[in-house]
Amino acid sequence: MNPNMLERHLVSRLKFKYLQLLVTVGEQRNIFKAAQIHNMAQPAATKIIRDIESALNIELFDRSSRGVTPTLYGEVLIKHAKLILSQVKHASEELSSLQGGLTGRVTVGSLLAASATLLPNAIARLKKNRPNVSVSLKEGTADRLTKSLKIDDLDIMVGRIPEVPTEDGLTNEVLYHEPVVIVARADHPLQSRKNLTLHDLVDQQWILPPRETMLRDEIDGAFHREGLDVPVNPVESVSILTNRTLLKNTDMITALPLQVVLTYEEIGLMKRLDIPLIIAPGPIGVTLRAQRQLPPAAHYLLEALREEAEKLTKRYKEIY
């Protein structure tokens, strides 16, 4: 089928409710469950999927006794269905915002560096000024959140800025640069030692970010520059709650964004070790989809993030 004929088939066959059903079947991997979610009978849902496949002359799902799995064609169509549904949602929010002035919804992905102060303070500022704007927060690693951003499951990603090729259709805005410091519990044996170096710490038990993260690459690089191997058998985790408990109950040490550490130093839970910064302060900011106009609610949050970042920049100048 040539591209023009395929386009006409897509436009004529893919009604809005069909797009919603496609996405749900892709998420649930089960037509019966998807049908229940959309309050329709399974035969009706199955017929819709079959009709689309027949019209386009392609298989969207592989069937098995366990359910269905999107084919390559199905993955492509589901991806674009999500984008279309997302744009319709944003259009609705923008119309509501124009009518009501202060409504809308923003979905934000948070990396560790933004989770302690920048993002909570920005959300608080947003809710104070725009109380009817709702916020949905998702946490994760950069690779996972980037994938969500590309398909419009997120409006904004906030944290340590990843290296994103321009051809990926994403763009970064640096808000400030944050130091990464090495910490342990407040009464850790190393707290009494001054002028520590990585040589003193290489044999300690470490909590490190997973290997696929940017921060881990930078930490590994710091050890290698000193002619040292990376610590053996670290706990690899980005869960701040798990890491906090491990630091409190063991002799483990870790490297964390300064803003995360400051919140725990205030309550005496952890403390920076006396060692110079092992990596340069990293860029903290937002990642957005290029060539896409943010809905009003997301724009409000972006402005709040910029304002809070200015306050953090001033604070860091006082510390370092």
Side-chain angles (χ1 to χ4, degrees), residues 170 237 256 273 286 298:
L170 302 178
S237 166
L256 289 172
L273 294 176
V286 296

Side-chain angles (χ1 to χ4, degrees), residues 235-252:
V235 173
E236 296 186 347
S237 166
V238 292
S239 168
I240 188 60
L241 292 177
T242 299
N243 295 353
R244 182 189 67 182
T245 302
L246 286 172
L247 291 171
K248 176 184 176 184
N249 296 334
T250 73
D251 283 340
M252 290 183 178

Side-chain angles (χ1 to χ4, degrees), residues 33-44:
K33 291 180 180 179
Q36 285 185 315
I37 291 172
H38 290 282
N39 295 315
M40 64 173 64
Q42 180 178 354

Side-chain angles (χ1 to χ4, degrees), residues 123-137:
I123 291 174
R125 178 185 288 268
L126 171 68
K127 295 296 287 184
K128 179 180 179 180
N129 297 327
R130 316 278 184 179
N132 293 324
V133 170
S134 60
V135 179
S136 176
L137 176 62

Side-chain angles (χ1 to χ4, degrees), residues 49-240:
I49 300 299
R50 292 291 190 189
D51 286 347
I52 297 172
E53 291 178 322
S54 177
L56 301 179
N57 196 29
I58 56 177
E59 290 286 332
L60 297 176
F61 298 95
D62 291 323
R63 279 80 170 173
S64 72
S65 59
R66 297 181 179 179
V68 298
T69 304
T71 63
L72 179 61
Y73 298 113
E75 292 284 4
V76 170
L77 196 55
I78 289 169
K79 178 183 72 173
H80 286 282
K82 285 184 175 182
L83 291 172
I84 292 168
L85 294 172
S86 177
Q87 289 302 311
V88 171
K89 181 191 74 171
H90 293 324
S92 175
E93 290 172 356
E94 189 162 353
L95 290 172
S96 297
S97 183
L98 289 172
Q99 289 177 329
L102 303 174
T103 63
R105 179 183 178 85
V106 56
T107 304
V108 56
S110 176
L111 301 170
L112 176 62
S115 64
T117 302
L118 174 64
L119 185 55
N121 286 357
I123 291 174
R125 178 185 288 268
L126 171 68
K127 295 296 287 184
K128 179 180 179 180
N129 297 327
R130 316 278 184 179
N132 293 324
V133 170
S134 60
V135 179
S136 176
L137 176 62
K138 298 180 180 180
E139 292 185 312
T141 56
D143 58 332
R144 293 180 181 177
L145 294 180
T146 298
K147 290 177 182 177
S148 295
L149 187 62
K150 289 179 182 177
I151 60 172
D152 263 2
D153 278 350
L154 298 177
D155 295 307
I156 300 175
M157 183 171 73
V158 189
R160 196 174 182 87
I161 288 180
E163 295 179 2
V164 181
T166 54
E167 61 266 24
D168 276 359
L170 302 178
T171 182
N172 294 321
E173 178 183 338
V174 178
L175 298 178
Y176 63 95
H177 287 78
E178 180 162 45
V180 171
V181 295
I182 299 178
V183 300
R185 70 173 193 271
D187 59 348
H188 192 285
L190 288 174
Q191 296 291 2
S192 62
R193 295 181 58 181
K194 303 299 181 183
N195 302 316
L196 291 167
T197 69
L198 283 181
H199 290 263
D200 300 314
L201 304 181
V202 68
D203 292 328
Q204 295 293 315
Q205 293 234 327
W206 280 78
I207 304 170
L208 291 174
R211 296 180 186 276
E212 65 269 17
T213 62
M214 295 171 292
L215 182 55
R216 176 61 179 273
D217 286 342
E218 294 178 353
I219 293 171
D220 288 357
F223 280 98
H224 293 154
R225 284 192 298 274
E226 295 294 322
L228 301 169
D229 292 329
V230 177
V232 178
N233 297 325
V235 173
E236 296 186 347
S237 166
V238 292
S239 168
I240 188 60

